[in-house]
Amino acid sequence: MTSLSSPTRFVRPERPAPPQAGQPGPQWKSELRDAVRDPAELARLLDLPGTWAESAREAARQFPLLAPRGYVRRMRPADPHDPLLRQVLPLADELRPAPGYSADPVGDAAATLTPGLLHKYQGRALMVTTGACAVHCRYCFRRHFPYSESPKGLAAWDEALAAIAADNSLHEVILSGGDPLTLVDPTLAALADRIAQVRHVARLRVHTRLPVMIPSRVNDELLAWLTGTRLTPIVVLHANHANELDVEAGRAVARLADAGVPLLNQAVLLRGVNDSVDAQAELCERLVDLRVMPYYLHQLDKVSGAAHFDTPIELGQAIIAELRGRLPGYAVPRLVREDAGAAGKTVIR
Ligand SMILES: *Cc1c(COP(=O)(O)O)cnc(C)c1O
Ligand code: SF4
């Protein structure tokens, strides 16, 4: 997830077979399969002009549109400036080259220990579990990588698990991607189990956008493995705007909180989406009301195609300063930037 900002070198996955229609499986799987992928359909669903779909199609050729229907329903119809729409909307702006922007802005190759495993942060190992996501965020630094919908088999992680076992300075494993929760629960349960067998690992962190994008993802099977090992689970969500956290998403998040899982959120500061004190204050308050601590507010990674989302550093600083005056201290996130080659996030003061 990226995070949005996960320092991962992508391991090119095998192209998966397209999913079969009517394939059985959990509810969230069918919602994922059924997500909107056609710009013309998105325009139709939201009452946007068809001309708009034409330029969207051009940008979507580079990085396909992907938006779950439940997420689209949280958007305001007929409003091309809707903050949720902007996050998934392919735009002609993406095709304009911008100086200082590149395909791999965080430069992580050097941190790769074994395929799919990164050791960049002290005491923490990051596993790239899949390239698939529930949504394609236009500002994602990984937008230039190919995405796969299929999990790699457990055997593919043997090498990574051996490397984790061999380094007893590692006390936390971070499941990243893509989005690890696009993998099915039996696979994740088996993976969590194998990580728990490594004595020096104490915590299992999951970086995911799924509980917000497809709330039905938080089901009994997920809670069972997440809270069923000796590892302390931590879930880092990714929501950028209060409108993303509707009643259903709130319910999914509450299930995680009720299960005792510590919850954090990371957001990206995005022009035209959440670049105001009001938008950030509303997001942070909604998060803490849901028992989620605002953790990071990321300055945009300079990835090609995302320049139109960039905001000046001073804006982020001013927003944080105002939030400190308005909100309880625990509700104010840290403003951070990912610098290539740095051993951790750079906090912007
Ligand atoms: C920043 C980041 C980390 C680093 O961990 P923190 O302890 O949260 O600073 C790990 N994974 C991802 C995806 C990140 O963006
Ligand atoms: S596309 Fe979105 S969900 Fe997927 S890794 Fe990037 S920021 Fe996270």
Side-chain angles (χ1 to χ4, degrees), residues 14-270:
E14 312 221 328
R15 277 257 150 243
Q20 305 294 306
Q23 199 170 292
Q27 162 75 17
W28 66 268
K29 265 288 204 194
S30 35
E31 287 182 51
L32 184 54
R33 270 195 302 272
D34 190 39
V36 179
R37 291 177 165 81
D38 174 12
E41 189 189 3
L42 185 61
R44 234 181 3 258
L45 287 170
L46 290 171
D47 258 327
L48 292 163
T51 46
W52 163 85
E54 275 315 303
S55 65
R57 190 166 288 121
E58 191 58 37
R61 257 196 280 281
Q62 294 209 350
F63 183 46
L65 166 72
L66 178 65
R69 276 167 213 276
Y71 185 69
V72 174
R73 280 194 292 272
R74 294 172 223 165
M75 299 172 185
R76 291 184 296 257
D79 180 2
H81 301 293
D82 179 85
L84 276 52
L85 174 65
R86 304 292 296 180
Q87 295 180 53
V88 300
L89 173 73
L91 286 179
D93 287 347
E94 296 175 19
L95 304 169
R96 263 199 306 274
Y101 285 72
S102 67
D104 177 20
V106 294
D108 294 311
T112 301
L113 220 60
T114 73
L117 184 73
L118 265 111
H119 186 193
K120 180 173 183 181
Y121 306 107
Q122 183 82 44
R124 291 150 285 173
L126 191 142
M127 290 184 84
V128 182
T129 54
T130 172
C133 292
V135 59
H136 285 175
C137 312
R138 306 313 297 178
Y139 53 85
C140 180
F141 91 95
R142 218 179 286 104
R143 50 168 292 152
H144 294 287
F145 293 110
Y147 279 82
S148 155
E149 287 174 51
S150 75
K152 295 191 276 175
L154 255 191
W157 290 316
D158 281 350
E159 207 186 337
L161 287 159
I164 293 167
D167 181 350
N168 60 19
S169 75
L170 295 173
H171 297 149
E172 177 167 329
V173 173
I174 303 171
L175 303 186
S176 186
D179 197 312
L181 295 191
T182 57
L183 301 181
V184 293
D185 290 311
T187 303
L188 289 162
L191 181 60
D193 206 51
R194 292 195 54 187
I195 295 169
Q197 285 166 27
V198 182
R199 296 265 301 276
H200 51 260
V201 176
R203 299 181 298 272
L204 180 65
R205 198 201 304 188
V206 180
H207 279 213
T208 181
R209 249 201 134 177
L210 253 302
V212 174
M213 287 295 146
I214 302 181
S216 63
R217 181 64 188 93
V218 182
N219 57 16
D220 295 341
E221 291 72 23
L222 179 139
L223 293 171
W225 66 261
L226 190 60
T227 61
T229 68
R230 64 168 187 83
L231 302 166
T232 299
I234 300 166
V235 169
V236 181
L237 300 169
H238 171 190
N240 295 317
H241 196 281
N243 293 1
E244 288 173 45
L245 299 164
D246 68 346
V247 174
E248 272 183 67
R251 244 183 242 129
V253 171
R255 290 204 72 189
L256 289 164
D258 287 346
V261 179
L263 297 167
L264 305 169
N265 184 68
Q266 43 183 348
V268 186
L269 186 55
L270 299 165

Side-chain angles (χ1 to χ4, degrees), residues 3 5-7 121 124 126 174 205 207 295-296 338 345:
S3 128
S5 202
S6 111
Y121 306 107
R124 291 150 285 173
L126 191 142
I174 303 171
R205 198 201 304 188
H207 279 213
Y295 179 36
Y296 284 146
E338 181 88 22
K345 299 264 186 293

